[in-house]
Amino acid sequence: SQQGEEDPQALSIQEGENATMNCSYKTSINNLQWYRQNSGRGLVHLILIRSNEREKHSGRLRVTLDTSKKSSSLLITASRAADTASYFCATPDNYGQNFVFGPGTRLSVLP
Amino acid sequence: GAGVSQSPSNKVTEKGKDVELRCDPISGHTALYWYRQSLGQGLEFLIYFQGNSAPDKSGLPSDRFSAERTGGSVSTLTIQRTQQEDSAVYLCASSLLYGVEQYFGPGTRLTVT
């Protein structure tokens, strides 16, 4: 079964608005990571949050982690057209054998 | 410094032929990962190396797929007797240790005709 699953599958917003994407996972984790993929730059790591952290910030990105609900959210504030991409959450399993990416959220930021 | 590189960037092959995909990780990264991504889909984890060893090969789709890593550096993913369903982008990534942030290569787009 899939470890990480994002929702919504697709999100369309206006430039300047905030975008929130959610990720759910099934098993215990050491950390959870968010990645961005667009046609120009490939897959890029955005932020890593450890299981003992509840919130983390990086520039316009804010990530939260709720281990009791096995969920995480990624908030992008003051979105820009350049934020248009697919966003994936990813979790390494605790056995060092697998790294699961969710199906992703396709974000479109309209100018 | 140099990032993760993959070659070839594109490969078109006939059904039944063997192909070899190459990945050069970032120097000093002990962990190396292979993924497959079909059009518009997420990433499918294939295999991971810690040094030259792959702890678990069960993610490989079939016994036509094999992978190796030598010298704790370059890795090759080999697909024997390619099938049309093997068509996808094959992505390689490396990280300093298993489980931390990964750096991805540009991928190899494989098309099996």
Side-chain angles (χ1 to χ4, degrees):
Chain A
S1 59
Q2 194 151 14
Q3 171 79 320
E5 296 190 10
E6 297 91 343
D7 81 86
Q9 291 186 343
L11 180 61
S12 186
I13 60 173
Q14 295 294 129
E15 210 165 21
E17 294 180 339
N18 296 341
T20 300
M21 289 159 271
N22 303 297
C23 168
S24 61
Y25 58 93
K26 293 182 170 62
T27 63
S28 61
I29 59 171
N30 286 326
N31 68 66
L32 185 143
Q33 303 172 31
W34 285 91
Y35 290 80
R36 179 181 65 207
Q37 184 178 38
N38 60 30
S39 58
R41 296 189 59 191
L43 257 163
V44 175
H45 177 266
L46 295 176
I47 197 165
L48 179 154
I49 186 165
R50 302 188 192 285
S51 59
N52 60 354
E53 298 176 306
R54 292 296 168 259
E55 187 170 312
K56 199 163 183 179
H57 296 254
S58 176
R60 293 184 296 111
L61 305 180
R62 172 177 168 253
V63 168
T64 62
L65 180 64
D66 187 334
T67 53
S68 66
K69 295 180 179 178
K70 292 187 167 56
S71 67
S72 173
S73 67
L74 170 67
L75 168 67
I76 305 174
T77 60
S79 62
R80 307 167 181 168
D83 295 329
T84 294
S86 290
Y87 292 81
F88 299 90
C89 67
T91 54
D93 75 2
N94 286 343
Y95 303 101
Q97 295 177 346
N98 199 348
F99 212 108
V100 181
F101 278 73
T105 292
R106 293 186 306 279
L107 174 66
S108 298
V109 181
L110 307 175
Chain B
V4 177
S5 61
Q6 293 185 245
S7 62
S9 55
N10 277 286
K11 177 71 177 179
V12 179
T13 189
E14 292 180 353
K15 177 181 173 182
K17 301 281 190 182
D18 298 351
V19 295
E20 192 172 277
L21 312 180
R22 177 186 168 107
C23 172
D24 279 88
I26 292 172
S27 177
H29 279 193
T30 64
L32 184 148
Y33 313 78
W34 283 99
Y35 297 89
R36 179 168 70 174
Q37 187 175 34
S38 300
L39 189 63
Q41 303 298 310
L43 275 70
E44 176 188 4
F45 175 88
L46 298 180
I47 194 169
Y48 136 75
F49 288 90
Q50 179 61 47
N52 293 332
S53 300
D56 184 1
K57 298 183 180 180
S58 63
L60 295 174
S62 76
D63 59 9
R64 297 185 294 105
F65 287 69
S66 62
E68 66 173 12
R69 188 181 185 193
T70 55
S73 180
V74 172
S75 176
T76 55
L77 177 69
T78 302
I79 309 173
Q80 296 179 310
R81 304 181 302 282
T82 52
Q83 303 294 313
Q84 288 188 330
E85 61 262 29
D86 299 333
S87 296
V89 176
Y90 289 81
L91 292 163
C92 173
S94 70
S95 62
L96 196 60
L97 302 169
Y98 172 79
V100 298
E101 53 266 38
Q102 298 180 38
Y103 296 83
F104 280 82
T108 293
R109 182 176 298 278
L110 175 66
T111 303
V112 182
T113 61

Coordinates of all heavy atoms in Angstrom, one line a residue, chain B residues 8-9 17-18 23 30-31 43 46 53-55 57-58 65 70 75-78 93-94 100:
Chain B
P8 N 22.2 7.5 -21.0 CA 21.9 8.7 -21.8 C 20.7 9.5 -21.4 O 20.0 9.1 -20.5 CB 21.6 8.0 -23.2 CG 20.9 6.7 -22.8 CD 21.7 6.3 -21.5
S9 N 20.5 10.7 -21.9 CA 19.3 11.5 -21.5 C 18.1 10.9 -22.2 O 17.0 11.0 -21.6 CB 19.5 12.9 -21.9 OG 19.8 13.1 -23.3
K17 N 15.3 -5.8 -26.9 CA 16.7 -5.4 -26.8 C 17.0 -5.1 -25.3 O 16.1 -4.8 -24.5 CB 17.0 -4.1 -27.6 CG 16.7 -4.3 -29.1 CD 17.8 -5.0 -29.8 CE 17.7 -4.9 -31.3 NZ 18.7 -5.7 -32.0
D18 N 18.3 -5.2 -25.0 CA 18.7 -4.8 -23.6 C 19.2 -3.4 -23.6 O 19.7 -2.9 -24.6 CB 19.9 -5.7 -23.2 CG 19.5 -7.2 -23.1 OD1 18.3 -7.5 -23.3 OD2 20.5 -8.0 -23.0
C23 N 24.2 6.1 -13.9 CA 24.1 7.2 -13.0 C 25.4 7.5 -12.3 O 26.0 6.6 -11.7 CB 23.0 6.8 -11.9 SG 22.9 8.0 -10.5
T30 N 26.9 8.3 0.0 CA 26.9 6.9 0.2 C 25.6 6.2 -0.3 O 25.7 5.0 -0.7 CB 27.1 6.5 1.6 OG1 26.0 7.0 2.4 CG2 28.4 7.2 2.2
A31 N 24.5 6.9 -0.4 CA 23.3 6.3 -0.8 C 22.9 6.7 -2.2 O 23.1 7.9 -2.6 CB 22.2 6.7 0.2
L43 N 6.5 8.8 -8.5 CA 7.8 8.1 -8.6 C 7.6 6.7 -8.0 O 7.0 6.5 -6.9 CB 8.9 8.7 -7.8 CG 9.6 9.8 -8.5 CD1 8.8 11.0 -8.7 CD2 10.9 10.2 -7.8
L46 N 12.6 1.8 -7.1 CA 13.1 0.5 -7.7 C 14.1 -0.1 -6.8 O 13.9 -1.3 -6.4 CB 13.7 0.8 -9.1 CG 12.8 1.4 -10.1 CD1 13.6 1.6 -11.4 CD2 11.6 0.5 -10.4
S53 N 26.1 -2.0 -1.8 CA 25.1 -3.1 -1.5 C 23.7 -2.6 -1.6 O 23.4 -1.4 -1.2 CB 25.4 -3.6 -0.1 OG 26.7 -4.1 0.0
A54 N 22.8 -3.4 -2.1 CA 21.4 -3.1 -2.2 C 20.7 -4.0 -1.1 O 20.6 -5.2 -1.3 CB 20.9 -3.4 -3.6
P55 N 20.2 -3.4 0.0 CA 19.6 -4.2 1.0 C 18.4 -5.0 0.6 O 18.1 -6.1 1.1 CB 19.2 -3.2 2.1 CG 20.0 -2.0 1.8 CD 20.2 -2.0 0.3
K57 N 16.0 -5.9 -3.0 CA 15.8 -5.8 -4.5 C 14.4 -6.0 -4.9 O 14.1 -6.1 -6.1 CB 16.8 -6.7 -5.2 CG 18.2 -6.4 -4.9 CD 19.1 -7.3 -5.7 CE 20.6 -7.0 -5.4 NZ 21.6 -7.8 -6.2
S58 N 13.5 -6.1 -3.9 CA 12.1 -6.5 -4.2 C 11.3 -5.4 -5.0 O 10.3 -5.7 -5.5 CB 11.4 -6.9 -2.9 OG 11.3 -5.7 -2.1
F65 N 15.0 -6.8 -14.7 CA 15.7 -5.6 -14.2 C 16.8 -6.0 -13.2 O 16.6 -6.9 -12.4 CB 14.7 -4.7 -13.4 CG 13.8 -3.9 -14.3 CD1 12.8 -4.6 -15.0 CD2 13.9 -2.6 -14.5 CE1 11.9 -3.9 -15.8 CE2 13.0 -1.9 -15.2 CZ 12.0 -2.6 -15.9
T70 N 29.4 0.1 -8.3 CA 30.8 -0.2 -8.1 C 31.6 0.9 -7.5 O 31.3 2.1 -7.8 CB 31.4 -0.7 -9.4 OG1 31.3 0.3 -10.4 CG2 30.8 -2.0 -9.9
S75 N 26.5 3.8 -10.8 CA 25.6 2.7 -10.8 C 25.0 2.6 -12.2 O 24.9 3.5 -12.9 CB 24.4 3.0 -9.8 OG 23.5 2.0 -9.8
T76 N 24.7 1.3 -12.5 CA 24.0 1.0 -13.8 C 22.8 0.2 -13.5 O 22.7 -0.6 -12.6 CB 24.9 0.2 -14.7 OG1 25.4 -1.0 -14.0 CG2 26.1 1.0 -15.2
L77 N 21.7 0.6 -14.2 CA 20.5 -0.1 -14.2 C 20.3 -0.8 -15.5 O 20.4 -0.1 -16.6 CB 19.3 0.8 -13.9 CG 17.9 0.2 -13.9 CD1 17.7 -0.7 -12.7 CD2 16.8 1.3 -13.9
T78 N 20.2 -2.1 -15.6 CA 20.1 -2.8 -16.8 C 18.7 -3.4 -16.9 O 18.2 -4.0 -16.0 CB 21.1 -4.0 -16.8 OG1 22.4 -3.4 -16.7 CG2 21.1 -4.7 -18.2
A93 N 19.0 9.2 -7.9 CA 19.2 10.2 -6.9 C 20.3 9.7 -6.0 O 20.5 8.5 -5.9 CB 17.9 10.5 -6.1
S94 N 20.9 10.7 -5.3 CA 21.9 10.3 -4.3 C 21.7 11.2 -3.1 O 21.2 12.3 -3.1 CB 23.4 10.4 -4.8 OG 23.8 11.7 -5.0
V100 N 18.0 10.9 4.1 CA 18.0 12.4 4.2 C 17.8 12.9 2.8 O 17.5 12.1 1.9 CB 19.4 12.9 4.7 CG1 19.5 12.4 6.2 CG2 20.6 12.4 3.9

